[in-house]
Amino acid sequence: MPLGFRRSKPTGRPGEWFYCIKHGKVEEGPECPAKDRLGPYATREEAAHALETAELRNREWTNDPRWSDKPQDAPGE
């Protein structure tokens, strides 16, 4: 195999759970590359709800005034 083209094994440990967004499945280990997964989660159940967790966190961050582009001392608001 030519140098520089060797596939690296996904990192993770048994007992860590991930959700693969590419395949839409929960995996232990992990099996898929990091770019395609969310986690690690402590349990299979937490990983199964990864998309809902991400959506909830995104909503919280969007509504957090610390992440707003508006100046906090803007007059008239």
Side-chain angles (χ1 to χ4, degrees):
M1 184 175 283
L3 292 176
F5 292 101
R6 194 166 76 165
R7 295 187 116 188
S8 62
K9 182 180 174 197
T11 58
R13 293 179 234 149
E16 290 182 325
W17 295 92
F18 298 85
Y19 182 80
C20 176
I21 56 176
K22 181 177 181 181
H23 299 109
K25 67 175 189 156
V26 173
E27 53 190 46
E28 182 181 13
E31 298 171 17
C32 294
K35 68 182 180 79
D36 295 328
R37 67 178 192 258
L38 301 173
Y41 295 94
T43 67
R44 175 183 272 284
E45 182 71 15
E46 286 179 23
H49 294 284
L51 293 179
E52 291 104 353
T53 301
E55 182 180 339
L56 176 63
R57 289 178 181 165
N58 285 341
R59 247 186 282 131
E60 289 172 354
W61 291 331
T62 298
N63 296 320
D64 188 329
R66 295 175 296 175
W67 293 99
S68 176
D69 289 336
K70 296 178 195 170
Q72 298 227 351
D73 298 337
E77 292 190 37

